Amino acid sequence: MNLGNAIRFWSTWNPDGEAVVIDGNAVTWSSLHQSTSRLANGLRARGVGHGDRVGILSGNRLEYLELAIAGYKLGSILVPLNVRLTPHELAYILDDAGCSVVVADGDLAQLGREAIDRADADIDAMGFEPGFGVHFDELRNTDSVDPDIDVGADDLVYILYTSGTTGAPKGAMMTHANVLAMSYNRIMADDMTSASRVYLPFPLSFTGGLVSMWAPTYVGGATLVLDPMVDPTRALQVMEDQAITNFSAVPVIWEMIVQHPNFAEHDLSALTVIGSGGAAVPEALLLRLQDAGLPMSQGYGLTEGAGMNSWLRAEDATRKLGSCGRPMMHTRMRTVDPENEAELLDVAVGEVGELVIKGPEIMVGYWNNAEATARTLVDGWLRTGDLARIDDEGYVFIVDRSKDMLISGGLNVYPAEIEAVLAGIDGIAESAVIGVPDDTWGETPLALIGLVPGAEVDVSTVAAVCREHLADYKRPRFVVFRDEPLPRGMSGKVLKRELRTEYEDPASRGRAVN
């Protein structure tokens, strides 16, 4: 059992069906099967084989999917690289994963070169366009025979990097079985069939795009309509023109769509399943969509759980307002005492505790990080770090997020990662980063800084260092220099709840950093 079997199946059962549509051009299942076999054979001829890690630095394009499928057939492991990271951040991931190959598209070739130059590993560069190592067309072997590689359900298929609370990214190891289990669950939740048409304008470099959205589409034999970016005007037109049946987006994107001046003019009658995740959906947005004949489902998931672990049906959206639903098939959820790290002790029904998850979609551990794996996977349960309550009907309500993580525009931002960068600036004695409300992105980072006596550090210095080391969505939007020490508890930890209250008023944050 492996992900490569999906294309073998659909290229036989529905050879002329549309597997992918991009820029209005359709690729059939039979054509995709042949092209990915040629690519797999070409990669194999260059020494890429079972267990090898292949990094990919690319925007949304057909070749991204081809590389993933070729990897399924070879048993290699794909390492999606966030295109918004800096060379410094990318180099860490390349070294940690031990990537032997990096594939980049033309627009990101310079970023790829800088990352490879900073990495310690010996990395083979391959490019979708000329100018970055081996040109991708040279890899397309003329032999389209499916390579005969033994790939098992428990073999790794992805290493998905997520920023950790210590500031260093951690690679969640996903097997073929993990991704298949999540895919089957989503296929059921989304009523997906081979006749479904799924719209994906979000980056494939994120778990939500590559794994929790594309994988079920691919496994279920549905058509993926792939876009390079999300834009409300374009999204509405594509959903109408392509008769999209399934589309999921974070709440901020749905807000942009329903507030579009031409929203009511578009024919979205084919759209039968819409979903959201990443943040709670406001009731006003739910009602607006319902009035438009678009009842919304919602879900909860995290990278370590392949991005999909619970689902709230549309008919329960208002009755269970604020819930992320109930566990998917074969998935179990509990709430336990968050203070007890040694064992999992359940809290009472309806009480707040740490959400823990067990199921076939849960990662097998963190790559090269046994210590973090042991802390996170306890007796087969994934400790999410999210605080939640579960009601007497089994519906889950998230009440606080993982550690101090904030979500900006649907993207996870970990304050510890920003704080680690701030700590490297001469003259900064202490810092704390919190999330503050933002009308556009939901939340945005605010950095609170205490200086060494006599030190001179200004906002421009902080901004310059953050630009060098942090992706744009992670950079502090506000910087506040404090005269008094940061509030701390008896253990010495910064009391961020107090800081969130103190800086709740926008007037207290000073001027935004450009």
Side-chain angles (χ1 to χ4, degrees), residues 416-428:
E417 190 175 8
I418 305 172
E419 290 161 2
V421 170
L422 296 177
I425 300 176
D426 289 340
I428 292 183

Side-chain angles (χ1 to χ4, degrees), residues 11 67 119 157 199 250 253 261 365 382 390 448 506:
S11 66
L67 184 64
V157 64
Y199 183 44
V250 294
I253 299 300
L382 171 68
I390 301 177
L448 304 161

Side-chain angles (χ1 to χ4, degrees), residues 289-481:
L289 288 164
Q290 288 174 5
D291 289 344
L294 299 171
M296 174 178 279
S297 301
Q298 298 166 66
Y300 167 88
L302 65 170
T303 295
E304 291 86 346
M308 178 80 173
N309 307 110
S310 72
W311 197 245
L312 181 72
R313 298 177 303 179
E315 54 264 40
D316 291 328
T318 51
R319 184 175 74 89
K320 293 291 184 179
L321 187 66
S323 173
C324 59
R326 292 187 282 199
M328 305 297 292
M329 184 180 287
H330 307 303
T331 301
R332 296 169 60 196
M333 291 183 169
R334 298 161 54 196
T335 43
V336 302
D337 181 359
E339 301 300 324
N340 192 325
E341 296 183 1
E343 56 183 325
L344 304 178
L345 300 177
D346 291 296
V347 299
V349 173
E351 288 190 6
V352 173
E354 181 183 0
L355 184 67
V356 296
I357 308 173
K358 176 184 282 189
E361 75 276 24
I362 301 301
M363 70 169 187
V364 293
Y366 292 116
W367 179 265
N368 281 340
N369 200 331
E371 183 179 346
T373 299
R375 288 197 307 267
T376 306
L377 295 177
V378 179
D379 297 331
W381 292 84
L382 171 68
R383 300 198 75 144
T384 68
D386 289 332
L387 297 179
R389 61 181 177 85
I390 301 177
D391 70 12
D392 57 2
E393 293 183 73
Y395 286 85
V396 179
F397 295 77
I398 304 296
V399 299
D400 203 355
R401 285 197 299 270
S402 179
K403 287 21 177 221
D404 295 312
M405 183 187 81
L406 61 116
I407 296 180
S408 183
L411 302 178
N412 295 351
V413 178
Y414 288 84
E417 190 175 8
I418 305 172
E419 290 161 2
V421 170
L422 296 177
I425 300 176
D426 289 340
I428 292 183
E430 62 176 0
S431 69
V433 175
I434 60 174
V436 294
D438 183 271
D439 290 340
T440 301
W441 305 114
E443 283 184 298
T444 194
L446 178 150
L448 304 161
I449 294 173
L451 297 178
V452 173
E456 295 184 2
V457 180
D458 58 20
V459 172
S460 62
T461 299
V462 173
V465 172
C466 289
R467 277 196 300 272
E468 180 181 358
H469 291 281
L470 295 168
D472 53 359
Y473 65 92
K474 301 178 185 178
R475 298 170 197 157
R477 178 69 171 154
F478 299 93
V479 175
V480 176
F481 293 94

Side-chain angles (χ1 to χ4, degrees), residues 158-162 170-174 303-304 363 365-367:
Y158 294 123
I159 300 178
L160 306 172
Y161 275 84
T162 177
K170 300 193 293 280
M173 297 185 290
M174 308 303 301
T303 295
E304 291 86 346
M363 70 169 187
Y366 292 116
W367 179 265

